[in-house]
Amino acid sequence: MRTDTARGPGIPDHRSAGRYVWWLVVSQRGRVAAGATYGSLWMVGLMLPPYALSRAIDEGLVPGRMPVLLGWVAVLFAVGVANAWLAVMRHRTMTRIRMDATFRTVRVIVAHTLRLGAALPHKVTAGEVVTIGIGDVGVISQTLTMTGPGVGGVLAYGVVAVLLLTVSPLLAGVVLLGVPLLALLVGPLLGRLQGAESRYRERQSGLAARLTDLVGGLRVLNGLGGKDVFADRHRREARALRDEGYRVGAVTSWVQALGVGLPTLFLAAVTWLAARMAAQGAITVGELVAVYGYAAALVVPVSFFIEGGYDLTRGLVAARRVVRFLRLEPTAAAGTGDAAGSGAGDVPEAASVLRDPASGVEVVPGLLTALAAARPGESAAVVDRLGRFADSAATWGAVRLDEIPLPQVRDRILVADNEADLFAGTLREVVGGRRDRTEEAIGRAVRTALAEDIVRGLPDGLDSAVEAQGRNLSGGQRQRLRLVRALLADPEVLLAVEPTSAVDAHTEAGIAARLHRARAGRTTVVTSTSPLLLHRADRVYYLVDGRAAAVGSHRQLLAEQPGYRRLVARGEDEGGVDEDGTDGSGEDLTGTDSATYPRPEAPVTKEDA
């Protein structure tokens, strides 16, 4: 189904929930106008059969005038056919309006998610985004139903009042006063529903976040023995959500019951009054039938009034959550456009030194630089500053990094996070990124990351399906695929956080040697405490409390820095790989294989060991 969002969703008005819903309306004003027209004609058309039926009785049936009776029957049939067509068109148009609103909101949320970028996990939970995308979007679009039959209900109400005035001013007065009274009786319940619905949505997003954490960390929880504790907490929160849902359901049941019951009671009251007037001769039999028909038909718009209030209440709650999400702003370092950098600085034309004043680290162009720290978070923080994912005074050449337009920074500097997402798709798509890659380029990157066994082990090689977050792969395989993806991007500056932490020593030694050769002449930074990787680095920074305590080659630091020696000693004891790049058996792990995907000894990940 084609929607207006094919031209782009537009700029949402997120000043308030009501303004956002109104923006959805005006964004498709033509379609909404058509829906309101169809809805109004259909609703008013529901009031015409009672009128035609009363004329058929009073002018044809009672006096016995068959031609007149047949004429009014023909009118009644034509009105029924027209109303059926209007009902189809109204439903079709309102469905398109709801679909457009749904897709428009989804695109706005996705666009803002991309705008937030790396700042997203720090500002909102995954459960909140899931709840908005799955539940709130549909609730908001349902609210737009008011623009069709809702408008028609108001017109139908006026038409019935005019028609009843021709029958009896008393009956017209009862209808004119009764319908607003019905709405007022339901009003307080709608206020309670809004509060209960808000609390329910908040708990729902919290539980969704808990489930997301559970799915992502189940293996860790099993290893720590914390699965039962987490499950108990989840059960408590689920019971609290259930109880809140009961409260929402209780209020909703009253709203829906009154939406059906009150119009029926109103119909009975009007019919009783009209019947007494007919018995007294104040109105004719045909007019009695017409009054009953008017009151019965009026049940539909009254129900729409109550249902519309219910939908609007829930829609504003959902829209409030969307607006709150759209108000989130990216951090200065991770933003986009002018908000994140004025672009006043001159972009380095050639390879330049990256400096992080906070740590004292200087990344020399064309070298493989390693950052080693007892606390991995300290070296990762340096990478975040050099990659402009955190506020800092880092410079690139003579220019502050935050003065360079962010798109240019992202094009030339790539941060390869050890926990970067792997999206669902074929293996070729997962590692290819945003551009198509040649078979030869993919083969080189796969060999460098020592990932040939992954390609061979999947049924269709590069065309095999990879599940979201690489769930059908081991931890070490996912890590190597992230490295393949980073290498295929071929950035001017590659900043890799713990690129070999989940693989065994034999595989790690091979990756270290091949990475050094593949990135020769390109600027590369890795964070690691593995002697296998540190040995291959051209420069190593030893960080203590986030500051550079020493810099030099791996051999120099081993000889001169006792703290550094203790830091990497465990890796040397467990690695089983000599400093010459072999695993102790003399097998060279640095050579280039001639086959596209050779069959070396299958690497074993630390998770699988």
Side-chain angles (χ1 to χ4, degrees):
M1 179 181 297
R2 185 185 179 277
T3 66
D4 293 341
T5 57
R7 297 189 296 270
I11 301 175
D13 187 344
H14 53 73
R15 288 176 290 177
S16 68
R19 289 178 181 272
Y20 181 81
V21 174
W22 180 246
W23 171 75
L24 290 176
V25 173
V26 299
S27 294
Q28 43 178 334
R29 56 176 64 88
R31 186 175 291 145
V32 168
T37 301
Y38 286 130
S40 300
L41 292 175
W42 170 71
M43 197 77 75
V44 171
L46 294 178
M47 309 304 156
L48 297 181
Y51 175 80
L53 189 58
S54 70
R55 297 299 91 198
I57 293 174
D58 287 344
E59 298 177 8
L61 184 62
V62 172
R65 299 165 60 185
M66 187 58 64
V68 175
L69 177 63
L70 293 177
W72 281 112
V73 169
V75 171
L76 192 62
F77 177 77
V79 169
V81 172
N83 259 9
W85 180 81
L86 288 171
V88 171
M89 296 304 296
R90 175 196 65 84
H91 187 274
R92 181 180 299 177
T93 304
M94 297 313 302
T95 299
R96 288 177 174 172
I97 289 173
R98 289 191 296 269
M99 294 293 287
D100 184 282
T102 297
F103 291 128
R104 195 177 297 274
T105 300
V106 167
R107 291 188 63 179
V108 165
I109 291 172
V110 170
H112 192 63
T113 300
L114 296 176
R115 179 169 175 261
L116 290 173
L120 179 65
H122 304 292
K123 294 180 175 291
V124 65
T125 65
E128 177 83 4
V129 179
V130 170
T131 303
I132 291 173
I134 295 178
D136 294 333
V137 169
V139 173
I140 294 172
S141 63
Q142 183 64 31
T143 305
L144 269 66
T145 301
M146 295 178 60
T147 61
V151 174
V154 175
L155 293 178
Y157 170 69
V159 169
V160 168
V162 172
L163 291 174
L164 284 175
L165 279 173
T166 64
V167 177
S168 167
L170 175 61
L171 292 173
V174 170
V175 171
L176 288 173
L177 295 176
V179 172
L181 180 61
L182 297 180
L184 291 175
L185 290 175
V186 181
L189 287 175
L190 295 179
R192 288 188 57 189
L193 175 63
Q194 187 169 12
E197 186 82 19
S198 297
R199 292 190 296 272
Y200 178 79
R201 291 287 179 180
E202 292 299 329
R203 287 189 178 275
Q204 186 182 40
S205 64
L207 188 62
R210 187 78 65 189
L211 286 172
T212 303
D213 293 340
L214 177 62
V215 172
L218 185 59
R219 181 178 295 180
V220 177
L221 287 173
N222 277 329
L224 297 175
K227 184 173 67 174
D228 293 337
V229 175
F230 195 97
D232 289 339
R233 183 180 303 170
H234 176 266
R235 278 192 290 269
R236 288 195 301 272
E237 293 182 1
R239 284 194 293 268
L241 178 64
R242 178 200 60 193
D243 295 340
E244 199 66 56
Y246 286 161
R247 283 187 281 274
V248 173
V251 180
T252 301
S253 64
W254 276 105
V255 172
Q256 294 179 344
L258 292 176
V260 176
L262 287 179
T264 304
L265 293 175
F266 177 71
L267 170 63
V270 172
T271 304
W272 176 81
L273 180 60
R276 285 182 60 87
M277 295 177 67
Q280 295 170 357
I283 61 175
T284 66
V285 175
E287 288 174 333
L288 171 62
V289 173
V291 169
Y292 175 81
Y294 295 149
L298 203 59
V299 169
V300 177
V302 171
S303 298
F304 268 117
F305 288 152
I306 297 175
E307 182 182 342
Y310 169 71
D311 288 339
L312 180 61
T313 299
R314 299 178 69 240
L316 290 177
V317 172
R320 194 172 296 123
R321 291 161 55 82
V322 171
V323 165
R324 186 171 59 193
F325 177 75
L326 295 178
R327 286 175 178 171
L328 297 177
E329 291 293 338
T331 59
T336 59
D338 295 338
S342 63
D346 295 327
V347 181
E349 295 294 336
S352 302
V353 176
L354 270 172
R355 295 182 179 86
D356 175 37
S359 63
V361 170
E362 293 189 358
V363 179
V364 178
L367 300 183
L368 173 59
T369 303
L371 309 179
R375 291 187 288 270
E378 294 177 356
S379 52
V382 176
V383 169
D384 283 344
R385 293 192 291 268
L386 293 176
R388 198 173 151 185
F389 282 97
D391 294 329
S392 73
T395 59
W396 194 8
V399 185
R400 277 181 60 113
L401 203 59
D402 55 11
E403 293 180 352
I404 301 174
L406 188 61
Q408 298 191 36
V409 175
R410 294 287 179 260
D411 284 342
R412 299 174 63 181
I413 301 177
L414 173 66
V415 175
D417 196 300
N418 190 30
E419 298 180 356
D421 289 332
L422 293 175
F423 299 102
T426 65
L427 182 58
R428 187 189 307 276
E429 293 169 341
V430 169
V431 300
R434 58 184 177 181
R435 290 188 291 271
D436 293 332
R437 310 292 180 176
T438 65
E439 200 81 19
E440 181 182 0
I442 296 176
R444 285 196 303 268
V446 166
R447 284 193 296 274
T448 299
L450 222 69
E452 301 98 321
D453 63 301
I454 303 176
V455 180
R456 293 195 315 270
L458 293 173
D460 299 315
L462 290 173
D463 295 318
S464 300
V466 176
E467 297 179 7
Q469 302 301 337
R471 288 192 299 266
N472 56 335
L473 302 172
S474 70
Q477 289 174 327
R478 291 194 294 268
Q479 188 176 58
R480 283 180 283 157
L481 287 186
R482 292 186 182 103
L483 181 57
V484 171
R485 184 170 61 184
L487 291 169
L488 274 174
D490 195 27
E492 178 182 330
V493 180
L494 173 61
L495 311 176
V497 179
E498 299 288 346
T500 60
S501 60
V503 299
D504 72 340
H506 180 88
T507 305
E508 187 174 32
I511 292 175
R514 296 182 183 187
L515 178 64
H516 186 273
R517 184 175 61 253
R519 293 285 300 175
R522 311 298 298 278
T523 307
T524 308
V525 177
V526 297
T527 70
S528 179
T529 57
S530 168
L532 302 171
L533 201 55
L534 296 172
H535 170 69
R536 294 288 178 179
D538 300 306
R539 302 181 79 195
V540 178
Y541 277 90
Y542 171 43
L543 304 180
V544 177
D545 295 329
R547 294 284 304 174
V551 59
S553 68
H554 175 59
R555 292 179 183 272
Q556 289 175 327
L557 295 180
L558 283 176
E560 301 171 3
Q561 296 293 325
Y564 179 82
R565 191 162 51 247
R566 288 192 297 271
L567 177 62
V568 302
R570 181 180 178 184
E572 288 180 328
D573 292 340
E574 295 178 353
V577 180
D578 298 333
E579 290 186 350
D580 61 357
T582 69
D583 65 354
S585 63
E587 179 183 357
D588 184 12
L589 298 172
T590 66
T592 303
D593 304 293
S594 58
T596 303
Y597 300 115
R599 294 181 176 269
E601 180 182 347
V604 180
T605 69
K606 291 179 180 177
E607 288 191 10
D608 298 333

